[in-house]
Short mmCIF file of all heavy atoms in Angstrom, two decimals:
data_model
loop_
_atom_site.label_atom_id
_atom_site.label_comp_id
_atom_site.label_asym_id
_atom_site.label_seq_id
_atom_site.Cartn_x
_atom_site.Cartn_y
_atom_site.Cartn_z
N HIS A 318 28.10 54.92 35.30
CA HIS A 318 29.21 55.88 35.36
C HIS A 318 30.58 55.34 34.99
O HIS A 318 31.51 56.11 34.81
CB HIS A 318 29.24 56.61 36.72
CG HIS A 318 29.73 55.79 37.88
ND1 HIS A 318 30.33 56.35 38.98
CD2 HIS A 318 29.70 54.45 38.11
CE1 HIS A 318 30.66 55.40 39.83
NE2 HIS A 318 30.27 54.25 39.34
N HIS A 319 30.71 53.99 34.84
CA HIS A 319 31.99 53.45 34.32
C HIS A 319 32.01 53.36 32.80
O HIS A 319 33.07 53.11 32.22
CB HIS A 319 32.26 52.06 34.90
CG HIS A 319 32.48 52.03 36.38
ND1 HIS A 319 33.45 52.79 37.00
CD2 HIS A 319 31.84 51.35 37.37
CE1 HIS A 319 33.39 52.58 38.31
NE2 HIS A 319 32.43 51.72 38.56
N ASP A 355 29.10 57.73 44.35
CA ASP A 355 29.29 56.28 44.30
C ASP A 355 30.70 56.00 44.83
O ASP A 355 31.61 56.79 44.63
CB ASP A 355 29.16 55.80 42.85
CG ASP A 355 29.20 54.28 42.73
OD1 ASP A 355 30.32 53.71 42.76
OD2 ASP A 355 28.12 53.67 42.60
N VAL A 356 30.89 54.86 45.51
CA VAL A 356 32.18 54.58 46.15
C VAL A 356 33.30 54.37 45.12
O VAL A 356 34.47 54.49 45.45
CB VAL A 356 32.07 53.37 47.11
CG1 VAL A 356 32.10 52.05 46.33
CG2 VAL A 356 33.16 53.41 48.16
N HIS A 357 32.91 54.05 43.88
CA HIS A 357 33.91 53.88 42.81
C HIS A 357 34.04 55.18 42.02
O HIS A 357 33.06 55.91 41.83
CB HIS A 357 33.48 52.76 41.86
CG HIS A 357 33.27 51.44 42.53
ND1 HIS A 357 32.03 51.02 42.97
CD2 HIS A 357 34.16 50.47 42.86
CE1 HIS A 357 32.17 49.82 43.53
NE2 HIS A 357 33.44 49.46 43.48
N ASP A 442 27.09 52.50 47.46
CA ASP A 442 28.06 51.49 47.87
C ASP A 442 29.15 52.04 48.81
O ASP A 442 30.04 51.30 49.21
CB ASP A 442 28.68 50.77 46.66
CG ASP A 442 28.93 51.67 45.49
OD1 ASP A 442 28.82 52.90 45.63
OD2 ASP A 442 29.25 51.15 44.39
N GLY A 484 25.78 52.42 41.73
CA GLY A 484 26.00 51.18 42.45
C GLY A 484 25.30 51.15 43.80
O GLY A 484 24.45 52.00 44.10
N GLY A 485 25.72 50.19 44.64
CA GLY A 485 25.08 49.97 45.95
C GLY A 485 24.53 48.57 45.96
O GLY A 485 23.60 48.27 45.20
N TYR A 486 25.10 47.67 46.80
CA TYR A 486 24.84 46.24 46.64
C TYR A 486 24.29 45.56 47.88
O TYR A 486 24.09 44.36 47.89
CB TYR A 486 26.12 45.57 46.12
CG TYR A 486 26.53 46.26 44.84
CD1 TYR A 486 27.52 47.25 44.83
CD2 TYR A 486 25.83 46.02 43.66
CE1 TYR A 486 27.82 47.95 43.68
CE2 TYR A 486 26.12 46.72 42.50
CZ TYR A 486 27.11 47.68 42.52
OH TYR A 486 27.39 48.38 41.38
ZN1 ZN B 619 30.09 51.77 42.65
#
Side-chain angles (χ1 to χ4, degrees):
H318 74 153
H319 295 304
D355 186 280
V356 79
H357 302 95
D442 38 11
Y486 304 98

